[in-house]
Amino acid sequence: AVSRRHLVATSCDALPASASFISLCYCPEAYLILADGSTIRSSEGGQQGDPLMPLLFSLAQHSVVEKVVATYPSVVIRLYLDDVYLSGSAEAVLAATTLFEANLGKCFVAAHEGCNLSRFPKEFSRHTISETSGFTALSVPIGGDEFCRKAFAEKVDEAISAVERVAKYPCCHGALLLLRHCANATRLTYWLGALPPHITADGCRRFDDAMRTAFLKISGLDNSEANCLQATLPSRRGGFGLRRA
């Protein structure tokens, strides 16, 4: 969480042209109206659903990031809104955490086997990084190759399950639309961009095979390489737009 007063002040300083609008939105106290007509005063942090909030929140915590960088230059800091990741020696990272007000129950520390983590608060969950273990950051597995392959395989299994359910849809036209727009390779795009190819190659082949099987079942076409290749072309080139992983 971030103080609303600090949020407004830093945002107005960084965006002077928008200062009046930001003040209009956040300086008066707001009230959230519940279904039963009761109200809750909203006077701290940002407003849920505000499209500006990611930017304003990032500006509000920028001063803390600068302080960490200046005070602990050996610590590498990466942030995505309120997800903060610090990496470096155990001593430096532990010291840098004192600059943040965090929910200790949501914090974790990850290190290779043999690293002494006893000085970290007991509320921190602990993860060991090895070939078969690791942790996830923003849903992306980080660890040894075996750990990452297993995590990606689980995502592929979920995507294949969706493809198989679509193939059973009783309306062929509807099934083809669902296959193209809802169950295609874009379900895996996030992980394909975050993991190296040698981790994702086997999973991609499994997903593409499942897509091919589903398409042939729905369309009733024969299992020829030409038909399957044409299905992956965009519609402007006579294909169906089924993207391969």
Side-chain angles (χ1 to χ4, degrees), residues 60-222:
Q61 67 178 355
H62 187 64
S63 59
V64 178
V65 176
E66 289 183 321
K67 188 174 182 179
V68 171
V69 172
T71 309
Y72 304 101
S74 64
V75 173
V76 177
I77 181 170
R78 295 288 184 267
L79 303 92
Y80 181 79
L81 299 180
D82 59 346
D83 287 325
V84 181
Y85 300 92
L86 305 173
S87 58
S89 67
E91 294 76 14
V93 169
L94 180 60
T97 59
T98 61
L99 298 179
F100 294 90
E101 292 184 11
N103 182 345
L104 299 184
K106 292 185 176 181
C107 297
F108 70 89
V109 57
H112 291 283
E113 292 180 292
C115 184
N116 183 11
L117 304 177
S118 60
R119 294 174 58 192
F120 283 86
K122 66 180 186 305
E123 293 87 354
F124 281 35
S125 60
R126 284 154 168 77
H127 300 270
T128 300
I129 301 175
S130 68
E131 182 62 26
T132 58
S133 62
F135 64 99
T136 59
L138 298 177
S139 299
V140 176
I142 299 176
D145 284 0
E146 183 179 339
F147 173 77
C148 293
R149 283 196 183 93
K150 182 179 179 181
F152 181 66
E154 292 175 354
K155 298 298 180 183
V156 172
D157 289 341
E158 293 175 4
I160 290 177
S161 176
V163 170
E164 292 173 344
R165 292 197 300 271
V166 167
K168 297 176 182 178
Y169 192 67
C171 171
C172 293
H173 182 259
L176 285 172
L177 290 176
L178 288 171
L179 193 68
R180 178 182 180 184
H181 297 292
C182 302
N184 59 28
T186 55
R187 294 173 62 91
L188 301 175
T189 299
Y190 177 69
W191 293 278
L192 292 177
L195 295 170
H198 74 278
I199 297 294
T200 61
D202 290 341
C204 288
R205 280 191 288 268
R206 288 201 300 122
F207 179 80
D208 288 343
D209 288 344
M211 284 288 287
R212 177 173 181 156
T213 300
F215 173 72
L216 294 175
K217 179 179 179 180
I218 295 169
S219 65
L221 296 174
D222 63 278

Side-chain angles (χ1 to χ4, degrees), residues 31-44:
Y31 290 87
L32 306 178
I33 303 175
L34 304 182
D36 60 2
S38 59
T39 59
I40 299 176
R41 188 176 65 176
S42 174
S43 57
E44 286 295 329

